[in-house]
């Protein structure tokens, strides 16, 4: 490793995993990085997925509430 290669690899792996799930990152890469860094990569990934799901759900609820508010405004304007 060296310089910023570990950070770049982490970002690339994170994006690959985010876009394609666990299958988006080759198992041998995960094994090699886990062994070299002595870090369990699955535990933080699971936490990040849960946080992402919670944010996404919250955003969806907010969007639906905004749509309903817009509908109410349109109804009021038509009256």
């Amino acid at each position: 490793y060296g310089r910023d290669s570990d950070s770049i690899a982490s970002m690339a792996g994170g994006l690959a995993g985010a876009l394609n799930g666990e299958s988006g990152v080759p198992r041998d890469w995960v094994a090699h990085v886990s062994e070299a860094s002595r870090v369990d990569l699955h535990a933080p990934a699971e936490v990040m997925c849960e946080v992402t799901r919670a944010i996404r759900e919250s955003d969806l609820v907010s969007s639906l509430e905004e749509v309903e508010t817009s509908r109410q405004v349109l109804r009021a304007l038509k009256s």
Side-chain angles (χ1 to χ4, degrees):
Y1 301 85
R3 304 191 52 97
D4 290 329
S5 60
D6 57 339
S7 299
I8 294 168
S10 294
M11 289 183 272
L15 288 169
L19 294 171
N20 303 301
E22 191 172 349
S23 65
V25 183
R27 289 180 187 255
D28 59 322
W29 290 9
V30 174
H32 181 73
V33 172
S34 294
E35 183 180 321
S37 64
R38 298 180 187 163
V39 172
D40 173 18
L41 300 175
H42 287 96
E46 289 177 21
V47 171
M48 286 189 285
C49 285
E50 287 302 317
V51 169
T52 301
R53 286 185 191 106
I55 291 169
R56 190 174 184 184
E57 182 178 329
S58 176
D59 287 349
L60 178 59
V61 168
S62 294
S63 295
L64 292 173
E65 290 170 352
E66 289 174 16
V67 167
E68 184 56 34
T69 301
S70 297
R71 286 180 178 160
Q72 290 173 1
V73 169
L74 288 173
R75 280 190 215 115
L77 291 172
K78 289 180 180 179
S79 300

Coordinates of all heavy atoms in Angstrom, one line a residue:
Y1 N 0.8 -1.2 0.0 CA 0.0 0.0 0.0 C 0.9 1.2 0.0 O 2.1 1.2 -0.2 CB -0.9 0.0 1.2 CG -1.8 -1.2 1.3 CD1 -1.3 -2.4 1.8 CD2 -3.1 -1.2 0.8 CE1 -2.1 -3.6 1.9 CE2 -3.9 -2.3 0.8 CZ -3.4 -3.5 1.4 OH -4.2 -4.6 1.4
G2 N 0.3 2.3 0.2 CA 1.1 3.6 0.3 C 0.3 4.8 -0.1 O -0.7 4.6 -0.9
R3 N 0.7 5.9 0.4 CA 0.1 7.1 0.1 C -1.4 7.0 0.3 O -1.9 6.7 1.3 CB 0.5 7.6 -1.3 CG 2.0 7.7 -1.4 CD 2.5 8.4 -2.7 NE 1.9 9.7 -2.9 CZ 2.4 10.9 -2.5 NH1 3.6 10.9 -1.9 NH2 1.8 12.0 -2.8
D4 N -2.2 7.3 -0.7 CA -3.7 7.3 -0.6 C -4.4 6.0 -1.1 O -5.6 6.0 -1.2 CB -4.3 8.5 -1.2 CG -4.0 9.8 -0.5 OD1 -3.8 9.8 0.7 OD2 -3.9 10.8 -1.2
S5 N -3.6 5.0 -1.4 CA -4.2 3.9 -2.1 C -5.2 3.2 -1.2 O -6.2 2.7 -1.7 CB -3.1 2.9 -2.5 OG -2.3 2.4 -1.4
D6 N -4.9 3.1 0.1 CA -5.9 2.4 1.0 C -7.2 3.2 1.1 O -8.3 2.6 1.0 CB -5.3 2.2 2.4 CG -4.8 3.5 3.0 OD1 -4.6 4.5 2.3 OD2 -4.7 3.5 4.3
S7 N -7.1 4.5 1.1 CA -8.4 5.3 1.1 C -9.2 5.2 -0.2 O -10.4 5.0 -0.2 CB -8.1 6.8 1.3 OG -7.4 7.0 2.6
I8 N -8.5 5.2 -1.3 CA -9.1 5.1 -2.6 C -9.7 3.7 -2.7 O -10.9 3.5 -3.2 CB -8.1 5.4 -3.7 CG1 -7.7 6.9 -3.7 CG2 -8.7 5.0 -5.1 CD1 -6.5 7.2 -4.5
A9 N -9.0 2.7 -2.3 CA -9.5 1.3 -2.4 C -10.8 1.2 -1.5 O -11.7 0.5 -1.9 CB -8.5 0.3 -1.9
S10 N -10.8 1.8 -0.3 CA -11.9 1.8 0.6 C -13.1 2.4 -0.1 O -14.3 1.9 0.0 CB -11.6 2.5 1.9 OG -10.6 1.8 2.6
M11 N -12.9 3.5 -0.7 CA -14.0 4.2 -1.4 C -14.5 3.4 -2.6 O -15.8 3.2 -2.8 CB -13.6 5.6 -1.9 CG -13.4 6.6 -0.7 SD -13.0 8.2 -1.3 CE -11.2 8.1 -1.3
A12 N -13.6 2.8 -3.4 CA -14.0 2.0 -4.5 C -14.8 0.8 -4.1 O -15.8 0.4 -4.6 CB -12.8 1.6 -5.3
G13 N -14.3 0.1 -3.0 CA -15.0 -1.0 -2.5 C -16.3 -0.7 -1.9 O -17.3 -1.4 -2.1
G14 N -16.4 0.4 -1.3 CA -17.7 0.9 -0.7 C -18.7 1.2 -1.8 O -19.9 0.8 -1.7
L15 N -18.3 1.8 -2.9 CA -19.2 2.1 -4.0 C -19.6 0.8 -4.7 O -20.8 0.7 -5.0 CB -18.5 3.1 -5.0 CG -18.4 4.5 -4.5 CD1 -17.5 5.3 -5.5 CD2 -19.7 5.2 -4.4
A16 N -18.7 -0.1 -4.9 CA -19.0 -1.3 -5.6 C -20.0 -2.1 -4.7 O -21.0 -2.7 -5.3 CB -17.7 -2.2 -5.8
G17 N -19.8 -2.1 -3.4 CA -20.7 -2.8 -2.5 C -22.1 -2.1 -2.5 O -23.1 -2.8 -2.5
A18 N -22.1 -0.8 -2.4 CA -23.3 -0.1 -2.4 C -24.1 -0.3 -3.7 O -25.4 -0.4 -3.6 CB -23.1 1.4 -2.2
L19 N -23.5 -0.3 -4.8 CA -24.2 -0.5 -6.1 C -24.6 -1.9 -6.4 O -25.6 -2.1 -7.0 CB -23.3 0.1 -7.2 CG -23.1 1.6 -7.2 CD1 -22.0 1.9 -8.2 CD2 -24.3 2.3 -7.4
N20 N -23.8 -2.9 -5.9 CA -24.0 -4.2 -6.3 C -24.2 -5.2 -5.2 O -24.2 -6.4 -5.4 CB -22.9 -4.7 -7.2 CG -22.7 -3.8 -8.4 OD1 -23.6 -3.7 -9.2 ND2 -21.6 -3.2 -8.6
G21 N -24.2 -4.7 -4.0 CA -24.3 -5.6 -2.8 C -23.0 -6.3 -2.6 O -21.9 -6.0 -3.2
E22 N -23.0 -7.3 -1.7 CA -21.8 -8.0 -1.3 C -21.1 -8.7 -2.5 O -19.9 -8.8 -2.6 CB -22.1 -9.0 -0.2 CG -20.9 -9.6 0.4 CD -21.2 -10.5 1.6 OE1 -22.3 -10.5 2.1 OE2 -20.3 -11.2 2.0
S23 N -21.9 -9.1 -3.5 CA -21.4 -9.8 -4.7 C -20.6 -8.8 -5.6 O -19.9 -9.2 -6.5 CB -22.5 -10.5 -5.5 OG -23.4 -9.5 -6.0
G24 N -20.7 -7.5 -5.3 CA -20.0 -6.5 -6.1 C -18.5 -6.4 -5.8 O -17.8 -5.8 -6.6
V25 N -18.1 -7.0 -4.7 CA -16.7 -7.0 -4.3 C -16.2 -8.4 -4.3 O -16.8 -9.2 -3.5 CB -16.5 -6.3 -2.9 CG1 -15.1 -6.2 -2.5 CG2 -17.2 -4.9 -2.9
P26 N -15.2 -8.7 -5.0 CA -14.7 -10.1 -5.1 C -14.3 -10.6 -3.7 O -13.7 -9.9 -2.9 CB -13.5 -10.1 -6.0 CG -13.7 -8.9 -6.9 CD -14.5 -7.9 -6.0
R27 N -14.7 -11.8 -3.3 CA -14.4 -12.4 -2.0 C -12.9 -12.4 -1.7 O -12.6 -12.1 -0.5 CB -14.9 -13.8 -1.9 CG -16.4 -13.9 -1.9 CD -16.9 -15.3 -1.8 NE -18.3 -15.4 -1.9 CZ -19.1 -15.6 -0.9 NH1 -18.7 -15.8 0.3 NH2 -20.4 -15.7 -1.1
D28 N -12.0 -12.6 -2.7 CA -10.6 -12.6 -2.3 C -10.1 -11.2 -2.0 O -9.2 -11.1 -1.2 CB -9.8 -13.2 -3.5 CG -10.0 -12.5 -4.8 OD1 -11.1 -12.1 -5.1 OD2 -9.0 -12.4 -5.5
W29 N -10.7 -10.2 -2.5 CA -10.3 -8.8 -2.1 C -10.7 -8.6 -0.7 O -9.9 -8.1 0.1 CB -11.1 -7.8 -3.0 CG -10.6 -7.7 -4.4 CD1 -9.8 -8.5 -5.1 CD2 -11.1 -6.7 -5.3 NE1 -9.7 -8.1 -6.4 CE2 -10.4 -7.0 -6.5 CE3 -11.9 -5.6 -5.2 CZ2 -10.6 -6.2 -7.7 CZ3 -12.1 -4.9 -6.4 CH2 -11.5 -5.2 -7.6
V30 N -11.9 -9.0 -0.3 CA -12.4 -8.8 1.0 C -11.5 -9.6 2.0 O -11.1 -9.1 3.0 CB -13.9 -9.3 1.2 CG1 -14.3 -9.2 2.6 CG2 -14.8 -8.4 0.3
A31 N -11.2 -10.8 1.7 CA -10.4 -11.6 2.5 C -9.0 -11.0 2.7 O -8.5 -10.9 3.8 CB -10.3 -13.0 2.0
H32 N -8.4 -10.6 1.6 CA -7.1 -10.0 1.6 C -7.1 -8.7 2.5 O -6.2 -8.5 3.3 CB -6.6 -9.7 0.2 CG -5.2 -9.1 0.2 ND1 -4.1 -9.8 0.4 CD2 -4.8 -7.8 -0.1 CE1 -3.0 -9.0 0.3 NE2 -3.4 -7.8 0.0
V33 N -8.0 -7.8 2.3 CA -8.0 -6.5 3.0 C -8.4 -6.8 4.5 O -7.7 -6.2 5.4 CB -9.1 -5.6 2.4 CG1 -9.2 -4.3 3.3 CG2 -8.6 -5.2 1.0
S34 N -9.3 -7.7 4.8 CA -9.6 -8.0 6.1 C -8.4 -8.6 6.9 O -8.1 -8.2 8.0 CB -10.7 -9.1 6.2 OG -11.9 -8.5 5.7
E35 N -7.7 -9.4 6.2 CA -6.5 -10.0 6.8 C -5.4 -9.0 7.0 O -4.8 -8.9 8.1 CB -6.0 -11.2 6.0 CG -4.8 -11.9 6.6 CD -4.3 -13.0 5.7 OE1 -5.1 -13.7 5.1 OE2 -3.1 -13.2 5.6
A36 N -5.2 -8.2 6.0 CA -4.1 -7.2 6.1 C -4.4 -6.1 7.1 O -3.5 -5.6 7.8 CB -3.8 -6.6 4.7
S37 N -5.6 -5.7 7.2 CA -6.0 -4.6 8.1 C -6.5 -5.1 9.5 O -6.6 -4.3 10.4 CB -7.1 -3.7 7.5 OG -8.3 -4.5 7.3
R38 N -6.7 -6.4 9.6 CA -7.2 -7.0 10.8 C -8.5 -6.3 11.3 O -8.7 -6.1 12.4 CB -6.2 -6.9 11.9 CG -4.9 -7.6 11.6 CD -3.9 -7.5 12.7 NE -2.6 -8.1 12.3 CZ -1.5 -7.8 12.9 NH1 -1.4 -7.1 13.9 NH2 -0.4 -8.4 12.4
V39 N -9.4 -6.1 10.3 CA -10.7 -5.5 10.5 C -11.8 -6.3 9.9 O -11.6 -6.9 8.8 CB -10.7 -4.1 9.8 CG1 -12.1 -3.5 9.9 CG2 -9.7 -3.1 10.5
D40 N -12.8 -6.5 10.7 CA -14.0 -7.2 10.2 C -14.8 -6.2 9.3 O -15.3 -5.2 9.8 CB -14.9 -7.6 11.4 CG -16.2 -8.2 11.0 OD1 -16.4 -8.6 9.8 OD2 -17.1 -8.3 11.8
L41 N -14.8 -6.4 8.1 CA -15.5 -5.5 7.1 C -17.0 -5.7 7.1 O -17.7 -4.8 6.7 CB -14.9 -5.7 5.7 CG -13.4 -5.4 5.6 CD1 -12.9 -5.8 4.2 CD2 -13.1 -4.0 6.0
H42 N -17.5 -6.8 7.5 CA -18.9 -7.1 7.4 C -19.7 -6.4 8.5 O -20.8 -5.8 8.2 CB -19.2 -8.6 7.5 CG -18.8 -9.3 6.3 ND1 -17.6 -10.0 6.2 CD2 -19.4 -9.5 5.1 CE1 -17.5 -10.5 4.9 NE2 -18.6 -10.2 4.3
A43 N -19.2 -6.3 9.7 CA -20.0 -5.6 10.7 C -20.3 -4.1 10.4 O -21.4 -3.7 10.5 CB -19.3 -5.8 12.1
P44 N -19.3 -3.4 10.1 CA -19.6 -2.0 9.7 C -20.4 -1.8 8.5 O -21.2 -0.9 8.4 CB -18.2 -1.3 9.6 CG -17.2 -2.4 9.5 CD -17.8 -3.6 10.1
A45 N -20.2 -2.7 7.5 CA -21.1 -2.7 6.3 C -22.5 -2.9 6.7 O -23.4 -2.2 6.1 CB -20.6 -3.7 5.3
E46 N -22.8 -3.8 7.6 CA -24.2 -4.1 8.0 C -24.8 -2.9 8.6 O -26.0 -2.5 8.4 CB -24.3 -5.3 8.9 CG -24.0 -6.6 8.1 CD -24.0 -7.8 9.1 OE1 -24.6 -7.7 10.2 OE2 -23.5 -8.9 8.7
V47 N -24.0 -2.2 9.5 CA -24.5 -1.0 10.2 C -24.8 0.1 9.1 O -25.8 0.8 9.2 CB -23.5 -0.5 11.2 CG1 -23.9 0.9 11.8 CG2 -23.3 -1.5 12.3
M48 N -23.9 0.3 8.2 CA -24.1 1.3 7.2 C -25.3 1.0 6.3 O -26.0 1.9 6.0 CB -22.8 1.4 6.3 CG -21.7 2.1 7.0 SD -20.3 2.6 5.9 CE -19.5 1.0 5.7
C49 N -25.6 -0.2 6.0 CA -26.8 -0.6 5.3 C -28.0 -0.3 6.1 O -29.0 0.2 5.5 CB -26.7 -2.1 4.9 SG -25.6 -2.5 3.6
E50 N -28.0 -0.6 7.3 CA -29.2 -0.3 8.2 C -29.4 1.2 8.2 O -30.6 1.7 8.1 CB -29.0 -0.8 9.6 CG -29.2 -2.3 9.6 CD -30.5 -2.8 9.1 OE1 -31.5 -2.2 9.5 OE2 -30.5 -3.8 8.4
V51 N -28.4 2.0 8.4 CA -28.5 3.5 8.4 C -29.0 4.0 7.1 O -29.9 4.8 7.0 CB -27.1 4.1 8.8 CG1 -27.2 5.6 8.6 CG2 -26.7 3.8 10.2
T52 N -28.5 3.4 6.0 CA -28.9 3.8 4.7 C -30.4 3.5 4.5 O -31.2 4.4 3.9 CB -28.1 3.1 3.6 OG1 -26.7 3.5 3.8 CG2 -28.5 3.5 2.2
R53 N -30.8 2.4 4.9 CA -32.3 2.0 4.8 C -33.1 2.9 5.6 O -34.2 3.4 5.1 CB -32.5 0.6 5.2 CG -32.0 -0.5 4.3 CD -32.3 -1.9 4.7 NE -31.6 -2.8 3.9 CZ -30.6 -3.6 4.3 NH1 -30.1 -3.4 5.6 NH2 -30.0 -4.4 3.5
A54 N -32.7 3.3 6.8 CA -33.5 4.2 7.7 C -33.6 5.6 7.0 O -34.7 6.2 7.0 CB -32.9 4.3 9.0
I55 N -32.5 6.1 6.5 CA -32.5 7.4 5.8 C -33.4 7.4 4.6 O -34.2 8.3 4.4 CB -31.1 7.8 5.4 CG1 -30.3 8.1 6.7 CG2 -31.1 9.0 4.5 CD1 -28.8 8.3 6.5
R56 N -33.3 6.3 3.8 CA -34.1 6.2 2.6 C -35.6 6.1 3.0 O -36.4 6.8 2.3 CB -33.7 4.9 1.9 CG -34.3 4.8 0.5 CD -33.7 3.6 -0.2 NE -34.1 3.5 -1.5 CZ -33.8 2.5 -2.3 NH1 -33.0 1.5 -1.9 NH2 -34.3 2.4 -3.5
E57 N -36.0 5.4 4.0 CA -37.3 5.3 4.4 C -37.8 6.7 4.9 O -38.9 7.1 4.6 CB -37.5 4.3 5.6 CG -38.9 4.1 6.0 CD -39.0 3.0 7.1 OE1 -38.2 2.1 7.1 OE2 -39.9 3.2 8.0
S58 N -37.0 7.4 5.7 CA -37.4 8.7 6.1 C -37.6 9.6 5.0 O -38.5 10.4 5.0 CB -36.3 9.2 7.1 OG -36.6 10.5 7.5
D59 N -36.7 9.6 4.0 CA -36.8 10.4 2.8 C -38.1 10.1 2.1 O -38.8 11.1 1.6 CB -35.6 10.3 1.9 CG -34.4 10.9 2.4 OD1 -34.4 11.7 3.4 OD2 -33.3 10.7 1.9
L60 N -38.4 8.9 2.0 CA -39.7 8.5 1.2 C -40.9 9.0 2.0 O -41.8 9.6 1.3 CB -39.7 7.0 1.1 CG -41.0 6.4 0.4 CD1 -41.1 7.0 -1.0 CD2 -41.0 4.9 0.4
V61 N -40.9 8.9 3.3 CA -42.0 9.4 4.1 C -42.2 10.9 3.9 O -43.2 11.5 3.6 CB -41.9 9.1 5.6 CG1 -42.9 9.8 6.4 CG2 -42.0 7.6 5.8
S62 N -41.0 11.6 3.9 CA -41.0 13.1 3.7 C -41.5 13.4 2.3 O -42.3 14.4 2.2 CB -39.6 13.7 3.9 OG -39.2 13.5 5.2
S63 N -41.1 12.7 1.3 CA -41.6 13.0 0.0 C -43.1 12.8 -0.2 O -43.8 13.6 -0.8 CB -40.8 12.1 -1.0 OG -39.5 12.4 -1.0
L64 N -43.6 11.7 0.4 CA -45.0 11.4 0.4 C -45.8 12.5 1.1 O -46.9 13.0 0.6 CB -45.3 10.1 1.0 CG -44.8 8.9 0.2 CD1 -45.1 7.6 1.0 CD2 -45.5 8.8 -1.2
E65 N -45.3 13.0 2.2 CA -45.9 14.1 2.9 C -45.9 15.4 2.1 O -46.9 16.1 2.1 CB -45.2 14.3 4.3 CG -45.5 13.2 5.3 CD -44.6 13.3 6.5 OE1 -43.7 14.2 6.6 OE2 -44.8 12.6 7.5
E66 N -44.8 15.6 1.4 CA -44.8 16.8 0.5 C -45.8 16.7 -0.6 O -46.4 17.7 -1.0 CB -43.4 17.0 0.0 CG -42.4 17.4 1.0 CD -40.9 17.5 0.5 OE1 -40.7 17.4 -0.8 OE2 -40.0 17.5 1.3
V67 N -45.9 15.5 -1.2 CA -46.9 15.3 -2.3 C -48.3 15.6 -1.7 O -49.1 16.3 -2.4 CB -46.8 13.9 -2.8 CG1 -48.0 13.5 -3.7 CG2 -45.5 13.7 -3.6
E68 N -48.6 15.1 -0.6 CA -49.9 15.3 0.0 C -50.2 16.8 0.3 O -51.3 17.3 0.0 CB -50.1 14.5 1.3 CG -51.5 14.6 1.9 CD -52.6 14.2 0.9 OE1 -52.4 13.3 0.1 OE2 -53.7 14.8 1.0
T69 N -49.2 17.5 0.8 CA -49.3 18.9 1.0 C -49.6 19.6 -0.3 O -50.4 20.5 -0.4 CB -48.1 19.5 1.7 OG1 -47.9 18.8 3.0 CG2 -48.1 21.0 1.9
S70 N -48.8 19.3 -1.3 CA -49.0 19.9 -2.6 C -50.4 19.7 -3.2 O -51.1 20.6 -3.7 CB -48.0 19.4 -3.6 OG -46.7 19.7 -3.2
R71 N -51.0 18.5 -3.0 CA -52.3 18.1 -3.4 C -53.3 19.0 -2.7 O -54.3 19.5 -3.2 CB -52.6 16.7 -3.2 CG -52.0 15.8 -4.1 CD -52.3 14.3 -3.9 NE -51.7 13.5 -4.9 CZ -51.5 12.2 -4.7 NH1 -51.9 11.6 -3.6 NH2 -50.9 11.5 -5.7
Q72 N -53.1 19.2 -1.4 CA -54.0 20.0 -0.6 C -54.0 21.5 -1.1 O -55.1 22.1 -1.2 CB -53.7 19.9 0.9 CG -54.0 18.6 1.5 CD -53.4 18.4 2.9 OE1 -52.9 19.4 3.5 NE2 -53.6 17.3 3.5
V73 N -52.8 22.0 -1.4 CA -52.7 23.3 -1.9 C -53.4 23.5 -3.2 O -54.2 24.4 -3.4 CB -51.2 23.7 -2.0 CG1 -51.1 25.0 -2.8 CG2 -50.6 23.9 -0.6
L74 N -53.2 22.5 -4.1 CA -53.9 22.5 -5.4 C -55.4 22.5 -5.2 O -56.2 23.2 -5.9 CB -53.4 21.4 -6.3 CG -52.0 21.5 -6.8 CD1 -51.6 20.2 -7.5 CD2 -51.9 22.7 -7.8
R75 N -55.9 21.6 -4.3 CA -57.4 21.6 -4.1 C -57.9 22.9 -3.6 O -58.9 23.4 -4.0 CB -57.7 20.5 -3.1 CG -57.7 19.1 -3.6 CD -58.2 18.1 -2.6 NE -57.5 16.8 -2.8 CZ -56.7 16.2 -2.0 NH1 -56.5 16.7 -0.8 NH2 -56.1 15.1 -2.3
A76 N -57.1 23.5 -2.7 CA -57.5 24.8 -2.1 C -57.6 25.9 -3.2 O -58.5 26.8 -3.2 CB -56.6 25.2 -1.0
L77 N -56.6 25.9 -4.1 CA -56.6 26.8 -5.2 C -57.7 26.6 -6.2 O -58.2 27.6 -6.8 CB -55.2 26.7 -5.9 CG -54.0 27.2 -5.2 CD1 -52.7 26.9 -5.9 CD2 -54.1 28.7 -4.8
K78 N -58.1 25.4 -6.4 CA -59.2 25.1 -7.3 C -60.5 25.5 -6.7 O -61.5 25.7 -7.5 CB -59.2 23.6 -7.7 CG -58.1 23.2 -8.6 CD -58.2 21.8 -8.9 CE -57.0 21.4 -9.8 NZ -57.1 19.9 -10.2
S79 N -60.6 25.6 -5.4 CA -61.9 25.9 -4.8 C -62.3 27.4 -4.9 O -61.6 28.3 -5.0 CB -61.9 25.5 -3.3 OG -61.6 24.2 -3.2

